[in-house]
Amino acid sequence: MALDPALAARLKRNADGLVCAVAQQRGTGEVLMVAWMNDEALELTLTTRRGTYFSRSRNKIWVKGETSGHTQQVHEVRLDCDGDTVLLIVDQAGAACHTGDRTCFDADVLLSPDPR
Amino acid sequence: MALDPALAARLKRNADGLVCAVAQQRGTGEVLMVAWMNDEALELTLTTRRGTYFSRSRNKIWVKGETSGHTQQVHEVRLDCDGDTVLLIVDQAGAACHTGDRTCFDADVLLSPDPR
């Protein structure tokens, strides 16, 4: 099944044909991960409500959690103002990060809150 | 001032020398916008605590709100597991989106919560 042409026309893909995708946990608002989608991944995400991305390293569609079981049930998808990024509101099963951390942003703090 | 070499070595920049940057409102958790940073923009963000990006369309450093007044006070910066995306926890003054919306994801809902 192809992406709705009206939606496809609104996407501003990068040179690799991808849009950026931010996954956020429903309720808590945690930013879980950032990944990439081609048209097929977006279409699959919208129709199956399973977070589905395009793996740049493996050059293929990737259903989040298909091997780890750490799936994403997708509640909402929003497109940003310039059409190059989608925001997914999801229920993340287990860890979103391949390291086992809850989010991909848990481990490496570059700047902490200013104590002043 | 140059980015700390130890940090610079950990960044995984795209072909344009940029990392992805997600700005999230402190407290509410709203995902405000997604933009891009080169090393200089990240260094300026870390040292000034003003959200500072690299404009791909204008090909220059861009201090968020420098013309609109809609600045970002940066509380935290985190690097993701593979070094290609930073998450900024900010206090956003006014609208984050150039359209006047609070966030860049307010206007265009592709998928709504499943009523089931």
Side-chain angles (χ1 to χ4, degrees), chain B residues 10 14 24 31 42-43 48 66 70-71 86 93 104 107-108:
Chain B
R10 284 192 289 141
N14 71 8
Q24 182 178 37
V31 175
L42 178 55
E43 170 66 8
T48 66
E66 64 186 343
H70 296 166
T71 53
V86 290
C104 293
D108 199 345

Side-chain angles (χ1 to χ4, degrees), chain A residues 7 10 20 22 24 29 31 34 36 46 49 56 75-81 84-85 87 97-98 104-106 108-114, chain B residues 7 10 20 22 24 29 31 34 36 46 49 56 75-81 84-85 87 97-98 104-106 108-114:
Chain A
L7 170 56
R10 285 191 289 140
C20 186
V22 179
Q24 182 177 36
V31 175
V34 171
W36 295 84
L46 293 172
R49 290 185 181 265
R56 294 170 297 170
H75 288 270
E76 286 184 61
V77 180
R78 292 169 173 271
L79 183 65
D80 80 341
C81 55
D84 66 0
T85 304
L87 175 65
C97 187
H98 74 286
C104 293
F105 298 95
D106 286 358
D108 199 345
V109 179
L110 303 183
L111 184 69
S112 297
D114 193 333
Chain B
L7 170 56
R10 284 192 289 141
C20 186
V22 179
Q24 182 178 37
V31 175
V34 171
W36 295 85
L46 293 172
R49 290 184 182 267
R56 294 170 297 171
H75 287 270
E76 286 184 61
V77 180
R78 293 170 172 270
L79 183 64
D80 80 340
C81 56
D84 66 0
T85 304
L87 175 64
C97 187
H98 74 285
C104 293
F105 298 95
D106 286 359
D108 199 345
V109 179
L110 302 184
L111 184 70
S112 297
D114 192 335

